[in-house]
Amino acid sequence: MIRLAIIGYGKIARDQHYPALTSHGGYQLKAVVTRSGGAPDGVRCFADTAAMLDAMKGEIDAVTISTPPEPRYDIARQCLDAGLDMLLEKPPTTTIGQIQELAAECEKAGRVLFTTWHSQFAAAVEQARDALKGKRIAAMRICWHEDVNKYHPGQDWVWDAGGFGVFDPGINALSISVKIVPGKLILDDTMLRVPANRQQPIVAKLKLSSPVADGPIEATFDWCPTSEDEWTITVQPVDGPELVLRHGGSEIEIGGEVHAPTGLGEYPGIYAEFARLVAERRSQVDYEPLRIVADAFMTADRETAPPFEWRKT
């Protein structure tokens, strides 16, 4: 039984992390850290990480860190100093340097570090990876379109430095892409549209290539769709039927035929994997999706979009 604390017990933790770890059966939630208050019955609640670590010393083995990205590195260092294993929500940190340093320190200390990318655990992603194994890519198209008002209502942190803007969902698409494409993805060109009153993009258009691709790999992330949400990745192999992942990787179609997904699903898969890693005393650190986003911010052409204001309900 892994005695766990969740740091950042907000909507995602309540809706996804807590049900997944509870259904797994191998975890005991001992404490949560949240500024808004509220915890499951029998679980201690703290307003800050330091107070929780001090009060729960010797009573927890691991932490889930599901805060917004900007403070994660500092929180993770506190937890490392406390001798705890760690599961980090995506993206694990705001910079590559931070996650590299954290991984090195966890290795030296013998602590387990798991950088989760929840979309990689979507129910059909492993099937897509298996279907594309050893194949060359003729063309690939990524469309990740959703309404920011629906998924981040009033959350200004997504527009601040370190908030990632439209890459907050877009990095999910990239995490699936680096999982299923049998070769490294290289960013070639980026266009970002940034609202005049915000720091982060509302639209991103990427052109990528790969040693295993003979044709274009294109991605569009859009936070202001005029139609239904879309989370679709379409891959045309050089020799083989078209593959389509829909609904964020939860559904798969190959050659026009829909296949039943075989995976556990995102957060159940994450907690099953973390239990294995803890048992084996082995870390799993992946920052390839973050590397592509960092490259995009470094090289992008930028356009100014109209000012963004939250839609009134």
Side-chain angles (χ1 to χ4, degrees), residues 31-156:
V32 300
V33 177
T34 174
R35 293 178 180 176
S36 59
D41 290 343
V43 177
R44 296 187 66 181
C45 186
F46 298 87
D48 66 80
T49 300
M52 185 275 292
L53 294 175
D54 183 60
M56 302 299 295
K57 187 174 182 179
E59 297 185 45
I60 57 174
D61 308 304
V63 294
T64 289
I65 303 177
S66 58
T67 64
E70 195 276 332
R72 279 192 201 138
Y73 172 74
D74 289 338
I75 292 171
R77 286 308 307 253
Q78 292 180 62
C79 295
L80 176 59
D81 290 342
L84 301 174
D85 298 328
M86 289 178 284
L87 183 159
L88 305 184
E89 251 288 5
K90 65 87 187 176
T93 55
T94 55
T95 72
I96 293 174
Q98 288 173 338
I99 189 56
Q100 287 178 327
E101 194 271 346
L102 190 60
E105 292 300 311
C106 284
E107 183 176 2
K108 286 195 294 186
R111 307 322 306 172
V112 174
L113 178 63
F114 183 24
T115 57
T116 68
W117 299 95
H118 61 79
S119 291
Q120 290 185 345
F121 290 87
V125 170
E126 282 293 337
Q127 289 161 275
R129 184 184 194 184
D130 291 343
L132 295 174
K133 186 176 181 180
K135 295 188 180 297
R136 297 195 64 80
I137 306 300
M140 180 171 172
R141 177 70 177 163
I142 305 164
C143 292
W144 233 248
H145 299 176
E146 65 182 46
D147 185 351
V148 65
N149 290 279
K150 184 190 300 185
Y151 298 99
H152 291 284
Q155 297 177 18
D156 283 323

Side-chain angles (χ1 to χ4, degrees), residues 144 159 164-171 200-204 221-223:
W144 233 248
W159 299 109
F164 286 74
V166 75
F167 282 107
D168 179 79
I171 204 170
Q200 300 293 346
I202 194 167
V203 174
F221 310 142
D222 194 332
W223 246 353

